[in-house]
Amino acid sequence: MLKPLADLTPRQSERLEVTLLAWLEGGGAPEAAKALSVHPQTVRYRMRQLEKLFGPGLRDPRTRFELEMALRSRRLMAQVRRQNSRSGRRNGRVVTADFTPLVVGRMARVNGL
């Protein structure tokens, strides 16, 4: 989903990713600007850049949802890497993420069924 950002420098890509996610979560330039502590015109400028990269897909609700999930997962993975690198430095050893699947003992009830 984020392939159009691949040809940019890491700094450019990060700025546009953060702006796009704030825009998707906030619903518009003023809200995104407030979340990013930048001027709304800065958000509008970056959104024009993103529209050139992604094309009309930014107007499609499904594409916007998929982009938001991709950006949120990227943000979450970056947080996990930072957390692991901090805890690894404190202990003097490298810590790897050990994810185990969640096992549910019984099925959840939905609407009383």
Side-chain angles (χ1 to χ4, degrees):
M1 287 301 304
L2 302 175
K3 187 159 176 79
L5 300 172
D7 294 333
L8 304 175
T9 66
R11 185 175 177 185
Q12 289 172 322
S13 178
E14 181 180 355
R15 278 187 179 168
L16 291 180
E17 285 180 26
V18 169
T19 301
L20 180 57
L21 184 57
W23 182 77
L24 290 168
E25 290 176 337
E31 295 83 2
K34 188 175 181 180
L36 298 173
S37 300
V38 298
H39 195 276
Q41 190 58 36
T42 302
V43 173
R44 290 183 191 101
Y45 170 73
R46 291 177 186 173
M47 288 308 300
R48 284 191 298 274
Q49 290 177 310
L50 287 160
E51 285 175 355
K52 287 179 185 176
L53 292 170
F54 287 95
L58 288 180
R59 288 180 173 65
D60 177 47
R62 181 179 179 146
T63 301
R64 290 198 331 227
F65 174 78
E66 291 171 352
L67 282 169
E68 186 174 354
M69 292 302 103
L71 291 166
R72 283 182 180 213
S73 66
R74 184 175 277 194
R75 180 176 61 186
L76 181 61
M77 291 307 295
Q79 289 172 350
V80 168
R81 281 192 297 274
R82 280 194 303 270
Q83 199 171 25
N84 285 343
S85 68
R86 277 190 229 130
S87 65
R89 277 187 253 141
R90 276 184 282 187
N91 297 335
R93 60 185 171 87
V94 176
V95 178
T96 59
D98 183 25
F99 294 105
T100 57
L102 179 65
V103 179
V104 179
R106 60 187 180 149
M107 291 183 59
R109 295 176 60 124
V110 179
N111 294 333
L113 301 174

